[in-house]
Amino acid sequence: MLKSEYLQKVYTQVVTRDPDQKEFHQAVLEVLESIDLIIDKHPEYEKNGVIESFVEPDRMICFRVPWVDDNGKVQVNRGYRIQFNSAIGPYKGGLRFHPTVNLSVMKFLGFEQILKNSLTGLPMGGAKGGSDFDPHGKSDAEVMRFCQSMMTELYRHIGQFTDAPAGDIGVGAREVGYLFGQYRRIRDRYEGGVMTGKGLTFGGSLARTEATGYGVCYLTEEMLKCMRNDSFRNKKVIVSGSGNVAIFAAEKATQLGGTVIAMSDSNGYIHDPAGIKLDVLKDIKLRRRARISEYAKEVPGSTYAEGFRNIWSLPCDICLPCATQNEIDGPTAEMIVKNGASVVTEGANMPCRPEAIRIFQDAGLLLAPSKAANAGGVAVSGLEMSQNSMRYSWTFEEVDNKLKEIMVNIFHNIYNAAEECGVPGDLVVGANIAGFKKVVDAMLAQGLV
Ligand code: NDP
Ligand code: 2IT
C-alpha cells in the first residue's frame, strides 16, 4: 500500500482513467511503491506534477492495418505506437506482434521501457508499439504485406531523431527487414538509425541478436559474484520461452558453465537432463519455425510435456523466465522456492506477478527485475544507432565487451540505489529509483512538466 497521499492520488487517477488496463496498473504500482520510499525528500515532484506526467504517455498512436492474405482476402489488424517519454533521448522501444497486444500491454511495456533505457546509460527515451497480428502460421509473403502496411502508417511518426522501433515478441530480423525496407521506400532516404535489429548487410549491429539473452546472464553472473560469491558454474538452469531472448540466455548460461535442463514455448516444455542441445533447438525454432515438441522427437533422453507453466515444476538453481509477462504467479513462485532455487532473473518484461516477487524476496532468493536484467537488448540497439551515425561497424567482440560493461554497471547502479533507499538487496526498488531519477531530473531541467 502506498504511504504518500500524493502517490495514492496519482495511482487512483491512473486506475479510474483506464479501469481495464490491468498490466499498466501493475507496472505503475510497482514503480510508485518504490518512489514512495523517497518521495518525502522530493517536495518538488508534487509541486511540478512530475508523477502525473510520468505515468501519462506523451502520445498514443492507434491505427488500422489492412493487408491481403494469400487467398486474396483483406484482413484488418490494429497497430499501436505509444511514445511515452522523450526527456533523455528519442523514443526507443520494440514492436510486438501477438494476438494479446492491446493498449494496456503497449502502455505497460512503454512505461517499463522509459526506466530500462535510462538504466543503460545511453540517451534513449521510452516507447513501445506493435499489433494484434499473429505471425504464427503466416507465409513470408503475408508477413511482408502486413509489415509494409504497418509501416505505411507508422513511418510518419518515427525517425532517427524522433522514435526508433526494434523487435520484440513476434518481431525478429525478418520483420525488421520488411519494415525498414518500406520506410526507406516511402521516405526515399537511408536512415539507418530509424530501426534497430536490422540485418547485418544493411546496418545491423553484430551481437544485437544475442544481446538481450547474453545481457541477462552477464547481469546474473555479476549479481551472483557480488551477492553470493558464486557463479553459473555447475548450476541447473531453467529458461522459459524459446525465442530470441530465451535461446541466447540459454547459450550464455551454458558457456558460463551452467546446464540448461528445460525450455518451453506457448504449448509446452522440453526437459533434457543432459543439457539442451542448442544447435538442435536453434534449427527447430529459428530456421524451421517449428514447435518445441520436435526436440523430444529428435534428441534421445529428452521429454516433452504439454502446458508451458509446468516447466517450473522441475527443480533447478537458477530460473530465467524469458517468454512473456505474468508467466510466474504466486503458486508457481511457491513451487520454485520449495524446489530449492536460489536465483530468478527476469529475461522477459514483467514475467513475475507482484505476489511472486514478494514470495521470492521473502524466501531470500536473488531477484533481478526485467527493466535491469533485459536492458542489454536495447543497449545494443543504442550501440547500433551509434554505429549507423558513425557509418562504421564494431566487431562482435567490441560490441559484446561494451554490452558486458553496461550490464555490470547496471547491476552496481541498482545495487547501490537499493542501499541508498534503505532496502539493501532489493533490486526491484534499486532499478526503479535509479532509472526514474535520471529521467525526472531531465524532465525538471527542461521544464517539461
Ligand atoms: P520471441 O517472439 O522471439 O519469443 C517469444 C517466446 O515466448 C516464444 O517461445 C513464445 O512461444 C513464447 N511466448 C510468447 N507469448 C507467450 C504467451 N502469451 N504465453 C506463453 N509463451 C509465450 O520474443 P522475444 O524472445 O524477443 O521476447 C521474449 C520476452 O523478452 C518478451 O517479454 C519481450 O518483451 C522481452 N524482451 C525482448 C527483447 C528483445 O530484444 N527481443 C529485449 C528485452 C525484452 P511461441 O513460439 O509458442 O509463441
Ligand atoms: O523490451 C525491449 O527492451 C525490447 N524489445 C528491445 C527494444 C529495442 O529498441 O531494442
PDB file of all heavy atoms in Angstrom, residues 96 98 100 109 116 128 136 167-170 208 212 241-246 264-267 285 291 308 322-325 347-349 374 377, ligand 1:
ATOM      1  N   ARG A  96       5.799  -5.315 -30.891  1.00  0.00           N
ATOM      2  CA  ARG A  96       5.363  -6.682 -30.589  1.00  0.00           C
ATOM      3  C   ARG A  96       4.200  -7.068 -31.494  1.00  0.00           C
ATOM      4  O   ARG A  96       3.224  -6.323 -31.587  1.00  0.00           O
ATOM      5  CB  ARG A  96       4.936  -6.782 -29.122  1.00  0.00           C
ATOM      6  CG  ARG A  96       4.390  -8.148 -28.739  1.00  0.00           C
ATOM      7  CD  ARG A  96       4.017  -8.242 -27.263  1.00  0.00           C
ATOM      8  NE  ARG A  96       5.180  -8.214 -26.394  1.00  0.00           N
ATOM      9  CZ  ARG A  96       5.140  -8.498 -25.088  1.00  0.00           C
ATOM     10  NH1 ARG A  96       3.995  -8.838 -24.523  1.00  0.00           N
ATOM     11  NH2 ARG A  96       6.240  -8.443 -24.356  1.00  0.00           N
ATOM     12  N   HIS A  98       1.551  -9.905 -31.598  1.00  0.00           N
ATOM     13  CA  HIS A  98       0.991 -11.062 -30.874  1.00  0.00           C
ATOM     14  C   HIS A  98      -0.501 -10.790 -30.670  1.00  0.00           C
ATOM     15  O   HIS A  98      -0.892  -9.645 -30.418  1.00  0.00           O
ATOM     16  CB  HIS A  98       1.710 -11.238 -29.527  1.00  0.00           C
ATOM     17  CG  HIS A  98       1.485 -12.585 -28.894  1.00  0.00           C
ATOM     18  ND1 HIS A  98       0.406 -12.843 -28.074  1.00  0.00           N
ATOM     19  CD2 HIS A  98       2.190 -13.740 -28.974  1.00  0.00           C
ATOM     20  CE1 HIS A  98       0.468 -14.113 -27.676  1.00  0.00           C
ATOM     21  NE2 HIS A  98       1.531 -14.683 -28.203  1.00  0.00           N
ATOM     22  N   THR A 100      -2.362 -11.075 -28.268  1.00  0.00           N
ATOM     23  CA  THR A 100      -2.730 -10.498 -26.962  1.00  0.00           C
ATOM     24  C   THR A 100      -2.402  -9.009 -26.855  1.00  0.00           C
ATOM     25  O   THR A 100      -2.635  -8.403 -25.810  1.00  0.00           O
ATOM     26  CB  THR A 100      -1.974 -11.224 -25.826  1.00  0.00           C
ATOM     27  OG1 THR A 100      -0.564 -11.150 -26.114  1.00  0.00           O
ATOM     28  CG2 THR A 100      -2.376 -12.683 -25.703  1.00  0.00           C
ATOM     29  N   LEU A 109       4.442  -1.828 -21.410  1.00  0.00           N
ATOM     30  CA  LEU A 109       5.774  -2.033 -21.995  1.00  0.00           C
ATOM     31  C   LEU A 109       6.469  -0.693 -22.257  1.00  0.00           C
ATOM     32  O   LEU A 109       7.676  -0.553 -22.023  1.00  0.00           O
ATOM     33  CB  LEU A 109       5.664  -2.859 -23.275  1.00  0.00           C
ATOM     34  CG  LEU A 109       5.295  -4.340 -23.058  1.00  0.00           C
ATOM     35  CD1 LEU A 109       4.811  -4.983 -24.363  1.00  0.00           C
ATOM     36  CD2 LEU A 109       6.479  -5.128 -22.492  1.00  0.00           C
ATOM     37  N   LYS A 116      14.052   1.344 -18.178  1.00  0.00           N
ATOM     38  CA  LYS A 116      15.080   0.435 -18.700  1.00  0.00           C
ATOM     39  C   LYS A 116      16.102   1.209 -19.523  1.00  0.00           C
ATOM     40  O   LYS A 116      17.316   1.063 -19.338  1.00  0.00           O
ATOM     41  CB  LYS A 116      14.405  -0.628 -19.572  1.00  0.00           C
ATOM     42  CG  LYS A 116      15.343  -1.659 -20.131  1.00  0.00           C
ATOM     43  CD  LYS A 116      14.711  -2.495 -21.246  1.00  0.00           C
ATOM     44  CE  LYS A 116      13.349  -3.040 -20.887  1.00  0.00           C
ATOM     45  NZ  LYS A 116      12.925  -4.110 -21.826  1.00  0.00           N
ATOM     46  N   LYS A 128       6.873   1.986 -27.027  1.00  0.00           N
ATOM     47  CA  LYS A 128       6.581   0.608 -27.427  1.00  0.00           C
ATOM     48  C   LYS A 128       5.504   0.647 -28.485  1.00  0.00           C
ATOM     49  O   LYS A 128       4.714   1.598 -28.550  1.00  0.00           O
ATOM     50  CB  LYS A 128       6.071  -0.200 -26.234  1.00  0.00           C
ATOM     51  CG  LYS A 128       6.205  -1.698 -26.425  1.00  0.00           C
ATOM     52  CD  LYS A 128       7.631  -2.131 -26.188  1.00  0.00           C
ATOM     53  CE  LYS A 128       7.855  -3.586 -26.499  1.00  0.00           C
ATOM     54  NZ  LYS A 128       9.180  -4.024 -26.018  1.00  0.00           N
ATOM     55  N   HIS A 136       2.344 -16.394 -36.400  1.00  0.00           N
ATOM     56  CA  HIS A 136       2.343 -17.869 -36.438  1.00  0.00           C
ATOM     57  C   HIS A 136       1.507 -18.377 -37.608  1.00  0.00           C
ATOM     58  O   HIS A 136       0.355 -17.970 -37.765  1.00  0.00           O
ATOM     59  CB  HIS A 136       1.743 -18.458 -35.159  1.00  0.00           C
ATOM     60  CG  HIS A 136       2.638 -18.356 -33.973  1.00  0.00           C
ATOM     61  ND1 HIS A 136       2.414 -17.468 -32.959  1.00  0.00           N
ATOM     62  CD2 HIS A 136       3.758 -19.028 -33.621  1.00  0.00           C
ATOM     63  CE1 HIS A 136       3.355 -17.588 -32.042  1.00  0.00           C
ATOM     64  NE2 HIS A 136       4.188 -18.524 -32.425  1.00  0.00           N
ATOM     65  N   GLY A 167      12.658  -4.888 -32.522  1.00  0.00           N
ATOM     66  CA  GLY A 167      11.858  -6.103 -32.377  1.00  0.00           C
ATOM     67  C   GLY A 167      11.388  -6.336 -30.954  1.00  0.00           C
ATOM     68  O   GLY A 167      11.786  -5.654 -30.015  1.00  0.00           O
ATOM     69  N   ASP A 168      10.505  -7.296 -30.819  1.00  0.00           N
ATOM     70  CA  ASP A 168      10.041  -7.817 -29.531  1.00  0.00           C
ATOM     71  C   ASP A 168       9.353  -9.137 -29.882  1.00  0.00           C
ATOM     72  O   ASP A 168       9.680  -9.728 -30.918  1.00  0.00           O
ATOM     73  CB  ASP A 168       9.091  -6.806 -28.849  1.00  0.00           C
ATOM     74  CG  ASP A 168       8.816  -7.158 -27.382  1.00  0.00           C
ATOM     75  OD1 ASP A 168       9.664  -6.881 -26.533  1.00  0.00           O
ATOM     76  OD2 ASP A 168       7.748  -7.737 -27.078  1.00  0.00           O
ATOM     77  N   ILE A 169       8.403  -9.594 -29.095  1.00  0.00           N
ATOM     78  CA  ILE A 169       7.744 -10.863 -29.403  1.00  0.00           C
ATOM     79  C   ILE A 169       7.146 -10.807 -30.823  1.00  0.00           C
ATOM     80  O   ILE A 169       6.455  -9.850 -31.170  1.00  0.00           O
ATOM     81  CB  ILE A 169       6.626 -11.172 -28.378  1.00  0.00           C
ATOM     82  CG1 ILE A 169       7.237 -11.478 -27.005  1.00  0.00           C
ATOM     83  CG2 ILE A 169       5.758 -12.341 -28.850  1.00  0.00           C
ATOM     84  CD1 ILE A 169       6.214 -11.761 -25.910  1.00  0.00           C
ATOM     85  N   GLY A 170       7.461 -11.821 -31.617  1.00  0.00           N
ATOM     86  CA  GLY A 170       6.889 -11.913 -32.957  1.00  0.00           C
ATOM     87  C   GLY A 170       7.535 -10.990 -33.980  1.00  0.00           C
ATOM     88  O   GLY A 170       7.132 -10.979 -35.141  1.00  0.00           O
ATOM     89  N   ARG A 208      23.626  -7.884 -31.793  1.00  0.00           N
ATOM     90  CA  ARG A 208      22.292  -7.439 -31.371  1.00  0.00           C
ATOM     91  C   ARG A 208      21.376  -8.637 -31.150  1.00  0.00           C
ATOM     92  O   ARG A 208      20.590  -8.668 -30.207  1.00  0.00           O
ATOM     93  CB  ARG A 208      21.661  -6.473 -32.402  1.00  0.00           C
ATOM     94  CG  ARG A 208      20.199  -6.089 -32.077  1.00  0.00           C
ATOM     95  CD  ARG A 208      20.080  -5.363 -30.746  1.00  0.00           C
ATOM     96  NE  ARG A 208      18.703  -5.095 -30.301  1.00  0.00           N
ATOM     97  CZ  ARG A 208      17.961  -5.908 -29.550  1.00  0.00           C
ATOM     98  NH1 ARG A 208      18.440  -7.093 -29.164  1.00  0.00           N
ATOM     99  NH2 ARG A 208      16.753  -5.570 -29.177  1.00  0.00           N
ATOM    100  N   THR A 212      20.161  -9.437 -25.777  1.00  0.00           N
ATOM    101  CA  THR A 212      19.259  -9.475 -24.617  1.00  0.00           C
ATOM    102  C   THR A 212      19.573 -10.697 -23.750  1.00  0.00           C
ATOM    103  O   THR A 212      19.755 -10.582 -22.532  1.00  0.00           O
ATOM    104  CB  THR A 212      17.784  -9.495 -25.058  1.00  0.00           C
ATOM    105  OG1 THR A 212      17.587  -8.489 -26.048  1.00  0.00           O
ATOM    106  CG2 THR A 212      16.870  -9.248 -23.889  1.00  0.00           C
ATOM    107  N   GLY A 241      10.358 -20.057 -22.462  1.00  0.00           N
ATOM    108  CA  GLY A 241      10.383 -19.469 -23.791  1.00  0.00           C
ATOM    109  C   GLY A 241      11.432 -20.157 -24.646  1.00  0.00           C
ATOM    110  O   GLY A 241      12.276 -20.935 -24.139  1.00  0.00           O
ATOM    111  N   SER A 242      11.381 -19.894 -25.947  1.00  0.00           N
ATOM    112  CA  SER A 242      12.405 -20.422 -26.852  1.00  0.00           C
ATOM    113  C   SER A 242      12.511 -19.483 -28.046  1.00  0.00           C
ATOM    114  O   SER A 242      12.696 -19.906 -29.178  1.00  0.00           O
ATOM    115  CB  SER A 242      12.058 -21.840 -27.309  1.00  0.00           C
ATOM    116  OG  SER A 242      10.716 -21.886 -27.749  1.00  0.00           O
ATOM    117  N   GLY A 243      12.365 -18.200 -27.755  1.00  0.00           N
ATOM    118  CA  GLY A 243      12.513 -17.185 -28.796  1.00  0.00           C
ATOM    119  C   GLY A 243      13.869 -16.527 -28.700  1.00  0.00           C
ATOM    120  O   GLY A 243      14.820 -17.095 -28.159  1.00  0.00           O
ATOM    121  N   ASN A 244      13.939 -15.300 -29.200  1.00  0.00           N
ATOM    122  CA  ASN A 244      15.219 -14.607 -29.270  1.00  0.00           C
ATOM    123  C   ASN A 244      15.900 -14.494 -27.907  1.00  0.00           C
ATOM    124  O   ASN A 244      17.087 -14.826 -27.761  1.00  0.00           O
ATOM    125  CB  ASN A 244      14.999 -13.214 -29.877  1.00  0.00           C
ATOM    126  CG  ASN A 244      16.238 -12.359 -29.831  1.00  0.00           C
ATOM    127  OD1 ASN A 244      16.391 -11.536 -28.937  1.00  0.00           O
ATOM    128  ND2 ASN A 244      17.158 -12.584 -30.751  1.00  0.00           N
ATOM    129  N   VAL A 245      15.179 -14.061 -26.898  1.00  0.00           N
ATOM    130  CA  VAL A 245      15.803 -13.845 -25.590  1.00  0.00           C
ATOM    131  C   VAL A 245      16.197 -15.178 -24.964  1.00  0.00           C
ATOM    132  O   VAL A 245      17.326 -15.367 -24.489  1.00  0.00           O
ATOM    133  CB  VAL A 245      14.852 -13.056 -24.657  1.00  0.00           C
ATOM    134  CG1 VAL A 245      15.501 -12.836 -23.300  1.00  0.00           C
ATOM    135  CG2 VAL A 245      14.466 -11.720 -25.291  1.00  0.00           C
ATOM    136  N   ALA A 246      15.263 -16.137 -24.969  1.00  0.00           N
ATOM    137  CA  ALA A 246      15.485 -17.418 -24.301  1.00  0.00           C
ATOM    138  C   ALA A 246      16.675 -18.173 -24.897  1.00  0.00           C
ATOM    139  O   ALA A 246      17.529 -18.695 -24.169  1.00  0.00           O
ATOM    140  CB  ALA A 246      14.220 -18.271 -24.412  1.00  0.00           C
ATOM    141  N   SER A 264      10.767 -23.863 -23.078  1.00  0.00           N
ATOM    142  CA  SER A 264       9.340 -24.012 -23.406  1.00  0.00           C
ATOM    143  C   SER A 264       8.944 -23.180 -24.625  1.00  0.00           C
ATOM    144  O   SER A 264       9.707 -22.328 -25.074  1.00  0.00           O
ATOM    145  CB  SER A 264       8.497 -23.566 -22.207  1.00  0.00           C
ATOM    146  OG  SER A 264       8.809 -22.231 -21.849  1.00  0.00           O
ATOM    147  N   ASP A 265       7.736 -23.432 -25.143  1.00  0.00           N
ATOM    148  CA  ASP A 265       7.062 -22.439 -25.989  1.00  0.00           C
ATOM    149  C   ASP A 265       5.643 -22.322 -25.466  1.00  0.00           C
ATOM    150  O   ASP A 265       5.359 -22.826 -24.362  1.00  0.00           O
ATOM    151  CB  ASP A 265       7.160 -22.773 -27.486  1.00  0.00           C
ATOM    152  CG  ASP A 265       6.485 -24.069 -27.887  1.00  0.00           C
ATOM    153  OD1 ASP A 265       5.665 -24.588 -27.096  1.00  0.00           O
ATOM    154  OD2 ASP A 265       6.774 -24.568 -28.988  1.00  0.00           O
ATOM    155  N   SER A 266       4.746 -21.668 -26.191  1.00  0.00           N
ATOM    156  CA  SER A 266       3.440 -21.402 -25.594  1.00  0.00           C
ATOM    157  C   SER A 266       2.584 -22.669 -25.470  1.00  0.00           C
ATOM    158  O   SER A 266       1.545 -22.642 -24.814  1.00  0.00           O
ATOM    159  CB  SER A 266       2.697 -20.317 -26.379  1.00  0.00           C
ATOM    160  OG  SER A 266       2.612 -20.670 -27.732  1.00  0.00           O
ATOM    161  N   ASN A 267       3.020 -23.779 -26.057  1.00  0.00           N
ATOM    162  CA  ASN A 267       2.266 -25.029 -25.909  1.00  0.00           C
ATOM    163  C   ASN A 267       2.749 -25.920 -24.773  1.00  0.00           C
ATOM    164  O   ASN A 267       1.946 -26.555 -24.095  1.00  0.00           O
ATOM    165  CB  ASN A 267       2.329 -25.858 -27.209  1.00  0.00           C
ATOM    166  CG  ASN A 267       1.634 -25.159 -28.349  1.00  0.00           C
ATOM    167  OD1 ASN A 267       2.262 -24.795 -29.325  1.00  0.00           O
ATOM    168  ND2 ASN A 267       0.344 -24.948 -28.223  1.00  0.00           N
ATOM    169  N   LYS A 285      13.635 -23.902 -33.890  1.00  0.00           N
ATOM    170  CA  LYS A 285      12.886 -22.661 -33.621  1.00  0.00           C
ATOM    171  C   LYS A 285      13.248 -21.531 -34.587  1.00  0.00           C
ATOM    172  O   LYS A 285      12.377 -20.786 -34.999  1.00  0.00           O
ATOM    173  CB  LYS A 285      13.132 -22.184 -32.175  1.00  0.00           C
ATOM    174  CG  LYS A 285      12.626 -23.123 -31.095  1.00  0.00           C
ATOM    175  CD  LYS A 285      11.126 -23.423 -31.169  1.00  0.00           C
ATOM    176  CE  LYS A 285      10.225 -22.265 -30.891  1.00  0.00           C
ATOM    177  NZ  LYS A 285       8.802 -22.667 -30.812  1.00  0.00           N
ATOM    178  N   ARG A 291       7.509 -26.206 -33.737  1.00  0.00           N
ATOM    179  CA  ARG A 291       7.172 -26.237 -32.318  1.00  0.00           C
ATOM    180  C   ARG A 291       8.295 -26.912 -31.520  1.00  0.00           C
ATOM    181  O   ARG A 291       9.009 -27.781 -32.027  1.00  0.00           O
ATOM    182  CB  ARG A 291       5.848 -26.986 -32.080  1.00  0.00           C
ATOM    183  CG  ARG A 291       4.682 -26.480 -32.903  1.00  0.00           C
ATOM    184  CD  ARG A 291       4.496 -24.975 -32.794  1.00  0.00           C
ATOM    185  NE  ARG A 291       4.211 -24.540 -31.439  1.00  0.00           N
ATOM    186  CZ  ARG A 291       4.366 -23.269 -31.008  1.00  0.00           C
ATOM    187  NH1 ARG A 291       4.799 -22.332 -31.825  1.00  0.00           N
ATOM    188  NH2 ARG A 291       4.094 -22.965 -29.774  1.00  0.00           N
ATOM    189  N   PHE A 308       2.833 -24.872 -20.744  1.00  0.00           N
ATOM    190  CA  PHE A 308       4.151 -24.234 -20.599  1.00  0.00           C
ATOM    191  C   PHE A 308       4.469 -23.823 -19.160  1.00  0.00           C
ATOM    192  O   PHE A 308       5.616 -23.776 -18.761  1.00  0.00           O
ATOM    193  CB  PHE A 308       4.289 -23.061 -21.578  1.00  0.00           C
ATOM    194  CG  PHE A 308       3.572 -21.802 -21.170  1.00  0.00           C
ATOM    195  CD1 PHE A 308       4.271 -20.780 -20.549  1.00  0.00           C
ATOM    196  CD2 PHE A 308       2.216 -21.633 -21.396  1.00  0.00           C
ATOM    197  CE1 PHE A 308       3.617 -19.616 -20.171  1.00  0.00           C
ATOM    198  CE2 PHE A 308       1.557 -20.476 -21.027  1.00  0.00           C
ATOM    199  CZ  PHE A 308       2.262 -19.460 -20.400  1.00  0.00           C
ATOM    200  N   CYS A 322      11.857 -16.152 -19.685  1.00  0.00           N
ATOM    201  CA  CYS A 322      12.177 -15.349 -20.880  1.00  0.00           C
ATOM    202  C   CYS A 322      11.072 -15.433 -21.931  1.00  0.00           C
ATOM    203  O   CYS A 322      11.350 -15.286 -23.126  1.00  0.00           O
ATOM    204  CB  CYS A 322      13.486 -15.840 -21.507  1.00  0.00           C
ATOM    205  SG  CYS A 322      14.939 -15.560 -20.476  1.00  0.00           S
ATOM    206  N   ALA A 323       9.822 -15.709 -21.523  1.00  0.00           N
ATOM    207  CA  ALA A 323       8.747 -15.833 -22.526  1.00  0.00           C
ATOM    208  C   ALA A 323       7.889 -14.573 -22.575  1.00  0.00           C
ATOM    209  O   ALA A 323       7.951 -13.805 -23.530  1.00  0.00           O
ATOM    210  CB  ALA A 323       7.897 -17.060 -22.240  1.00  0.00           C
ATOM    211  N   THR A 324       7.093 -14.344 -21.512  1.00  0.00           N
ATOM    212  CA  THR A 324       6.149 -13.224 -21.595  1.00  0.00           C
ATOM    213  C   THR A 324       5.751 -12.740 -20.207  1.00  0.00           C
ATOM    214  O   THR A 324       6.228 -13.287 -19.206  1.00  0.00           O
ATOM    215  CB  THR A 324       4.921 -13.648 -22.436  1.00  0.00           C
ATOM    216  OG1 THR A 324       4.158 -12.493 -22.772  1.00  0.00           O
ATOM    217  CG2 THR A 324       4.043 -14.631 -21.687  1.00  0.00           C
ATOM    218  N   GLN A 325       4.864 -11.711 -20.143  1.00  0.00           N
ATOM    219  CA  GLN A 325       4.517 -11.125 -18.841  1.00  0.00           C
ATOM    220  C   GLN A 325       3.638 -12.073 -18.017  1.00  0.00           C
ATOM    221  O   GLN A 325       2.856 -12.838 -18.556  1.00  0.00           O
ATOM    222  CB  GLN A 325       3.809  -9.771 -18.999  1.00  0.00           C
ATOM    223  CG  GLN A 325       2.453  -9.795 -19.668  1.00  0.00           C
ATOM    224  CD  GLN A 325       2.557  -9.642 -21.162  1.00  0.00           C
ATOM    225  OE1 GLN A 325       3.649  -9.651 -21.725  1.00  0.00           O
ATOM    226  NE2 GLN A 325       1.425  -9.523 -21.835  1.00  0.00           N
ATOM    227  N   GLY A 347      14.100 -12.317 -17.699  1.00  0.00           N
ATOM    228  CA  GLY A 347      14.534 -12.029 -19.072  1.00  0.00           C
ATOM    229  C   GLY A 347      13.413 -11.401 -19.882  1.00  0.00           C
ATOM    230  O   GLY A 347      13.630 -10.482 -20.665  1.00  0.00           O
ATOM    231  N   ALA A 348      12.199 -11.897 -19.694  1.00  0.00           N
ATOM    232  CA  ALA A 348      11.025 -11.287 -20.337  1.00  0.00           C
ATOM    233  C   ALA A 348      10.694  -9.993 -19.611  1.00  0.00           C
ATOM    234  O   ALA A 348      11.246  -9.707 -18.548  1.00  0.00           O
ATOM    235  CB  ALA A 348       9.842 -12.252 -20.273  1.00  0.00           C
ATOM    236  N   ASN A 349       9.777  -9.191 -20.162  1.00  0.00           N
ATOM    237  CA  ASN A 349       9.311  -7.996 -19.474  1.00  0.00           C
ATOM    238  C   ASN A 349       8.211  -8.368 -18.496  1.00  0.00           C
ATOM    239  O   ASN A 349       7.191  -8.929 -18.893  1.00  0.00           O
ATOM    240  CB  ASN A 349       8.793  -6.983 -20.506  1.00  0.00           C
ATOM    241  CG  ASN A 349       9.935  -6.262 -21.198  1.00  0.00           C
ATOM    242  OD1 ASN A 349      10.834  -5.740 -20.552  1.00  0.00           O
ATOM    243  ND2 ASN A 349       9.914  -6.250 -22.530  1.00  0.00           N
ATOM    244  N   ASN A 374      17.034  -7.282 -18.633  1.00  0.00           N
ATOM    245  CA  ASN A 374      16.957  -7.470 -20.089  1.00  0.00           C
ATOM    246  C   ASN A 374      17.318  -6.202 -20.871  1.00  0.00           C
ATOM    247  O   ASN A 374      17.063  -6.113 -22.077  1.00  0.00           O
ATOM    248  CB  ASN A 374      15.601  -8.053 -20.516  1.00  0.00           C
ATOM    249  CG  ASN A 374      14.441  -7.083 -20.380  1.00  0.00           C
ATOM    250  OD1 ASN A 374      14.618  -5.872 -20.467  1.00  0.00           O
ATOM    251  ND2 ASN A 374      13.239  -7.614 -20.197  1.00  0.00           N
ATOM    252  N   GLY A 377      19.425  -5.769 -24.592  1.00  0.00           N
ATOM    253  CA  GLY A 377      18.897  -5.712 -25.964  1.00  0.00           C
ATOM    254  C   GLY A 377      18.821  -4.283 -26.448  1.00  0.00           C
ATOM    255  O   GLY A 377      19.395  -3.922 -27.490  1.00  0.00           O
TER     256      GLY A 377
HETATM  257  P1  NDP B   1      10.099 -14.194 -29.444  1.00  0.00           P
HETATM  258  O1  NDP B   1       8.883 -13.930 -30.236  1.00  0.00           O
HETATM  259  O2  NDP B   1      11.391 -14.406 -30.127  1.00  0.00           O
HETATM  260  O3  NDP B   1       9.851 -15.438 -28.481  1.00  0.00           O
HETATM  261  C1  NDP B   1       8.820 -15.446 -27.564  1.00  0.00           C
HETATM  262  C2  NDP B   1       8.816 -16.778 -26.843  1.00  0.00           C
HETATM  263  O4  NDP B   1       7.890 -16.729 -25.756  1.00  0.00           O
HETATM  264  C3  NDP B   1       8.366 -17.914 -27.726  1.00  0.00           C
HETATM  265  O5  NDP B   1       8.946 -19.103 -27.280  1.00  0.00           O
HETATM  266  C4  NDP B   1       6.845 -17.919 -27.491  1.00  0.00           C
HETATM  267  O6  NDP B   1       6.261 -19.170 -27.743  1.00  0.00           O
HETATM  268  C5  NDP B   1       6.768 -17.581 -26.028  1.00  0.00           C
HETATM  269  N1  NDP B   1       5.549 -16.831 -25.746  1.00  0.00           N
HETATM  270  C6  NDP B   1       5.170 -15.654 -26.289  1.00  0.00           C
HETATM  271  N2  NDP B   1       3.976 -15.267 -25.818  1.00  0.00           N
HETATM  272  C7  NDP B   1       3.585 -16.215 -24.979  1.00  0.00           C
HETATM  273  C8  NDP B   1       2.442 -16.372 -24.177  1.00  0.00           C
HETATM  274  N3  NDP B   1       1.442 -15.464 -24.157  1.00  0.00           N
HETATM  275  N4  NDP B   1       2.396 -17.464 -23.403  1.00  0.00           N
HETATM  276  C9  NDP B   1       3.396 -18.376 -23.429  1.00  0.00           C
HETATM  277  N5  NDP B   1       4.510 -18.282 -24.169  1.00  0.00           N
HETATM  278  C10 NDP B   1       4.608 -17.220 -24.927  1.00  0.00           C
HETATM  279  O7  NDP B   1      10.192 -12.968 -28.411  1.00  0.00           O
HETATM  280  P2  NDP B   1      11.455 -12.458 -27.594  1.00  0.00           P
HETATM  281  O8  NDP B   1      12.310 -13.604 -27.200  1.00  0.00           O
HETATM  282  O9  NDP B   1      12.035 -11.329 -28.329  1.00  0.00           O
HETATM  283  O10 NDP B   1      10.742 -11.842 -26.298  1.00  0.00           O
HETATM  284  C11 NDP B   1      10.538 -12.588 -25.100  1.00  0.00           C
HETATM  285  C12 NDP B   1      10.349 -11.637 -23.934  1.00  0.00           C
HETATM  286  O11 NDP B   1      11.531 -10.818 -23.785  1.00  0.00           O
HETATM  287  C13 NDP B   1       9.199 -10.642 -24.063  1.00  0.00           C
HETATM  288  O12 NDP B   1       8.688 -10.361 -22.790  1.00  0.00           O
HETATM  289  C14 NDP B   1       9.882  -9.395 -24.608  1.00  0.00           C
HETATM  290  O13 NDP B   1       9.145  -8.229 -24.313  1.00  0.00           O
HETATM  291  C15 NDP B   1      11.180  -9.443 -23.837  1.00  0.00           C
HETATM  292  N6  NDP B   1      12.310  -8.690 -24.402  1.00  0.00           N
HETATM  293  C16 NDP B   1      12.743  -8.867 -25.678  1.00  0.00           C
HETATM  294  C17 NDP B   1      13.846  -8.176 -26.144  1.00  0.00           C
HETATM  295  C18 NDP B   1      14.419  -8.412 -27.498  1.00  0.00           C
HETATM  296  O14 NDP B   1      15.467  -7.827 -27.784  1.00  0.00           O
HETATM  297  N7  NDP B   1      13.835  -9.224 -28.348  1.00  0.00           N
HETATM  298  C19 NDP B   1      14.530  -7.194 -25.307  1.00  0.00           C
HETATM  299  C20 NDP B   1      14.040  -7.132 -23.953  1.00  0.00           C
HETATM  300  C21 NDP B   1      12.955  -7.846 -23.548  1.00  0.00           C
HETATM  301  P3  NDP B   1       5.545 -19.465 -29.170  1.00  0.00           P
HETATM  302  O15 NDP B   1       6.662 -19.653 -30.134  1.00  0.00           O
HETATM  303  O16 NDP B   1       4.748 -20.671 -28.900  1.00  0.00           O
HETATM  304  O17 NDP B   1       4.724 -18.243 -29.455  1.00  0.00           O
END
